[in-house]
Amino acid sequence: MSAVQVAPGLTIGGGAPLALLGGPCSIESPEMTLRTGEAIKAVTDRLGVPYVFKASFDKANRSSVTSYRGMGVEEGIRILEKVKNELGVPVVTDIHESWQAEPVAEVADILQIPAFLCRQTDLLVAAARTGRVVNVKKGQFMSPPEMSNVLAKLQESEAAGVMLTERGSSFGYNNLVVDFRGLAQMQAMDVPVVMDATHSVQMPGALGASSGGQREYVPVLARAAVAVGVDALFMEIHPDPDRALSDGPNMVPVQHLEQLLIELLMLDQVRRNSSRVDLGATND
């Protein structure tokens, strides 16, 4: 499987160690953002986990017009740059409009395309042309094989590297499910595959003016994805999720991160030491 080089010394895919893309859903303040990044990095350093800091400068798809969105592009980039420089870690953040790709790419090592926007050709092309790695969340409304069309748009636009992320599929109203066959189907496209274990337990719009979530199932989905053999995990992590300004119900409390990663690393090692069973394709 192809690998992508996110930053010097940090590769995802191609047999590289299981990586973590993690941080708070949105940038709530410079202090909280840096403090959370420091806490996560302390854990990943102890465990030897390659780490990419994640936070959004703008959450453009919030349920309500009154919901907290973030600190905006200019201030958000400044804060992400501070985290990157002070912690010495790569960063990933979302972009929602084509014009954001170039200025954000000056700081971000990975440009992330939100699930709702994964088919937006102009946005994909703009991200690809920056020369940064592009991580695309699979739309909740799309089957995994359909992501081959998204991948083709990026590759034809000469993207430096592409990762595809599973984050659940719509299952009726206000609910998501994960079809773990999709991880293998996207891996067959020869790109690194990421499991978003936190947004996959989200309950979109379930609280009326905001989304709900079931964070108690994050470990369940993460364990299953690691057993399948994903290249990285995406998890939103917060010091106090119940007081978070966005996505609190599905974020991982930072104080529980280390024990969760220890379990996942043990499972990943078992998978790497095991022979894969191939039963062959069937038309049934």
Side-chain angles (χ1 to χ4, degrees), residues 261-276:
L261 286 180
I262 288 172
E263 181 182 3
L264 296 174
L265 289 172
M266 292 173 62
L267 184 57
D268 184 57
Q269 193 59 49
V270 170
R271 180 196 61 80
R272 290 173 185 267
N273 292 337
S274 302
S275 299
R276 293 201 171 192

Side-chain angles (χ1 to χ4, degrees), residues 188-249:
M189 299 174 197
D190 196 32
V191 294
V193 172
V194 183
M195 176 64 190
D196 182 344
T198 48
H199 284 104
S200 293
V201 301
Q202 191 179 58
M203 303 179 73
L207 301 181
S210 63
S211 293
Q214 297 175 306
R215 76 169 70 102
E216 64 269 26
Y217 295 122
V218 170
V220 176
L221 297 187
R223 287 194 295 264
V226 169
V228 171
V230 292
D231 301 286
L233 290 166
F234 178 103
M235 290 192 286
E236 290 190 331
I237 304 158
H238 193 280
D240 188 357
D242 291 334
R243 296 180 181 272
L245 300 182
S246 59
D247 275 8

Side-chain angles (χ1 to χ4, degrees), residues 242-263:
D242 291 334
R243 296 180 181 272
L245 300 182
S246 59
D247 275 8
N250 50 263
M251 281 199 279
V252 174
V254 70
Q255 62 268 30
H256 297 309
L257 176 64
E258 185 161 9
Q259 187 56 46
L260 175 57
L261 286 180
I262 288 172
E263 181 182 3

